[in-house]
Amino acid sequence: MSDSASVTLWNRQFILLNAAICLAFANLAVFFQFYGYLRTLTIDPRWFGLIIGAFSATTLILRPLISPLLRPDNSRRWVLIAATFVILSLLSYNFTDTFKGLMAVRVFHGAAHVVMATALLALVVGFIPRRKSGQAFGAISISTLLPYALVPPLLLGLTRMMGSYPRVLAFFGLIMLFMVPLILSSGSRKRADEAVPRREKISGGDVWANLKDTRVCFLLLAMLLFFSGYALVFFYLAGYGAKLGIIDAGLFFTLSTVGEIGVRLLAGSLFDKTNKAYLLAGALLFVALGYLALAHVPGRFAFFALGALLGLGWGVAMPALNALLFDISEERFRALNTNLGMEMFQGGFFIGPFIGGLILASHEFSSLFYLCAILSAAAAGAALYAATRS
């Protein structure tokens, strides 16, 4: 049998590149306490959302420009170059605490990260066998989110141990050095289930032709809405937990990621056997209900229980979004659309914090979670609309 269904997904290259993706996203998870750190500085709180979002705003600008240029055959060297600049950016937070200085560092960090992440995703797509997209993106989404389970609960202890939050950022910069052996050990691109196709540069006209597919556009919109709500929870949950008297709010993301990993391990193969559109819509509506419950959580136990329950919904929605986009894309556009999906991820991480800062200036935390519920329900509608298009 030469069919790709008989080819294993878990080859050495795919595993090493997922480890590299996990390491890359650890330098995002470390910013769980960034809002709290900003509150210790002499900066007008009205600018906090802009400082937080400057990182993702940079990626919004750069990712569409660089995605067509980064392909499985040329991405390895760009991962290594960009990782060097990520390390420098994480060290740079120790040398400024002003609005202008932090904005400059955030823009520099965002530019370095987007090149590294875009190149990594273009690289790993070359090792995904046909008919394994659901399992593959389930694994990739675990790699991107596992740092959000491991890092946030450690930050308070690391900050006390190292003396300051910027020193923790520098520590994570040094950890990024492990990116070098992971990338160098991942070998050359060779997908086992098919001959390597001729690599062609994607032109601006090709990008436009890709985006004329309404299914692609509506799925990208669903991603943007979904991740805007997710980012609101990520950046402002620590403040909400403090209001409830829950100091160790970072455990919320530990439990949610355990739920995500559990549902993907137990039901990962179902992503390729069920209707992804209806599975996705159901998961997004489940998440919307979870956000509504979070707005009225009565105490510590319910707070952490919702973390686990939301993890179940996130654990289905995230890989289903990526897998559905992968499946409907022309083969030559799969790496491009995968990175456009990450563009929506970063877009959400700009829009969410920016809007959240404005809302918290005059409203309670509950208003944030009402907005999250609306965004998730709208994402379900966009996904279903995409599924009805021929």
Side-chain angles (χ1 to χ4, degrees):
M1 178 182 291
S2 60
D3 190 275
S4 63
S6 65
V7 178
T8 179
L9 172 67
W10 296 102
N11 54 70
R12 179 175 62 88
Q13 292 90 345
F14 186 76
I15 293 172
L16 288 174
L17 290 174
N18 269 275
I21 290 171
C22 185
L23 188 60
F25 279 81
N27 88 86
L28 299 184
V30 71
F31 287 91
F32 179 75
Q33 293 288 352
F34 191 51
Y35 176 72
Y37 167 67
L38 291 176
R39 294 178 64 184
T40 68
L41 306 179
T42 57
I43 298 176
D44 190 332
R46 291 179 299 175
W47 300 114
F48 289 174
L50 184 59
I51 293 173
I52 293 172
F55 177 101
S56 294
T58 304
T59 70
L60 279 171
I61 297 170
L62 291 181
R63 193 181 291 273
L65 301 177
I66 64 176
S67 291
L69 306 177
L70 294 172
R71 306 177 305 276
D73 60 301
N74 71 355
S75 293
R76 182 169 280 101
R77 66 178 177 271
W78 284 108
V79 173
L80 297 175
I81 292 170
T84 302
F85 287 105
V86 168
I87 293 170
L88 293 175
S89 66
L90 287 168
L91 296 174
S92 298
Y93 287 92
N94 285 266
F95 302 105
T96 183
D97 59 3
T98 65
F99 171 73
K100 291 183 179 179
L102 285 172
M103 283 291 292
V105 172
R106 293 291 284 168
V107 169
F108 178 69
H109 188 187
H113 177 82
V114 71
V115 175
M116 179 179 66
T118 304
L120 268 174
L121 283 172
L123 193 58
V124 76
V125 162
F127 295 99
I128 298 177
R130 290 193 181 112
R131 303 182 188 177
K132 301 279 188 177
S133 64
Q135 295 176 58
F137 283 105
I140 292 171
S141 59
I142 288 175
S143 298
T144 61
L145 293 171
L146 188 59
Y148 293 94
L150 301 177
V151 174
L154 301 176
L155 292 177
L156 289 177
L158 287 173
T159 302
R160 287 193 294 265
M161 183 187 306
M162 298 182 181
S164 71
Y165 179 70
R167 290 181 182 177
V168 175
L169 297 179
F171 172 71
F172 274 80
L174 296 178
I175 292 176
M176 283 294 298
L177 291 171
F178 288 103
M179 182 69 72
V180 176
L182 288 172
I183 296 301
L184 294 180
S185 300
S186 64
S188 61
R189 179 185 185 271
K190 184 179 180 182
R191 193 157 67 188
D193 64 325
E194 59 184 6
V196 177
R198 183 168 64 92
R199 303 169 181 96
E200 297 180 354
K201 182 178 178 180
I202 296 176
S203 67
D206 290 331
V207 174
W208 175 244
N210 175 54
L211 294 178
K212 286 173 67 176
D213 187 338
T214 56
R215 299 174 301 166
V216 171
C217 290
F218 272 87
L219 279 175
L220 291 175
L221 174 62
M223 287 180 167
L224 180 63
L225 294 169
F226 172 78
F227 284 115
S228 294
Y230 180 86
L232 278 167
V233 176
F234 177 75
F235 281 110
Y236 296 107
L237 186 75
Y240 184 50
K243 181 182 177 182
L244 297 175
I246 302 172
I247 299 176
D248 53 345
L251 289 173
F252 180 99
F253 279 95
T254 301
L255 293 171
S256 69
T257 305
V258 169
E260 292 179 59
I261 294 174
V263 73
R264 291 169 194 178
L265 291 177
L266 294 175
S269 62
L270 293 179
F271 293 144
D272 294 315
K273 298 177 181 178
T274 60
N275 186 306
K276 293 185 180 75
Y278 294 116
L279 182 68
L280 171 60
L284 290 171
L285 292 175
F286 179 83
V287 168
L289 293 174
Y291 289 148
L292 290 176
L294 190 58
H296 301 283
V297 66
R300 180 183 176 87
F301 177 80
F303 179 83
F304 288 124
L306 278 172
L309 290 173
L310 280 170
L312 296 177
W314 292 336
V316 174
M318 291 180 186
L321 278 165
N322 285 291
L324 190 58
L325 183 61
F326 183 91
D327 287 349
I328 69 171
S329 300
E330 293 184 38
E331 184 172 353
R332 61 183 176 137
F333 293 142
R334 282 175 175 170
L336 170 64
N337 284 339
T338 298
N339 278 301
L340 288 178
M342 289 305 302
E343 170 86 348
M344 298 302 101
F345 174 87
Q346 293 297 345
F349 269 64
F350 168 68
I351 294 173
F354 183 75
I355 294 177
L358 297 177
I359 290 176
L360 287 180
S362 56
H363 295 82
E364 296 295 323
F365 280 99
S366 59
S367 298
L368 288 182
F369 302 122
Y370 293 148
L371 176 60
C372 290
I374 293 172
L375 292 173
S376 188
L384 284 175
Y385 179 81
T388 63
R389 308 300 294 175
S390 61

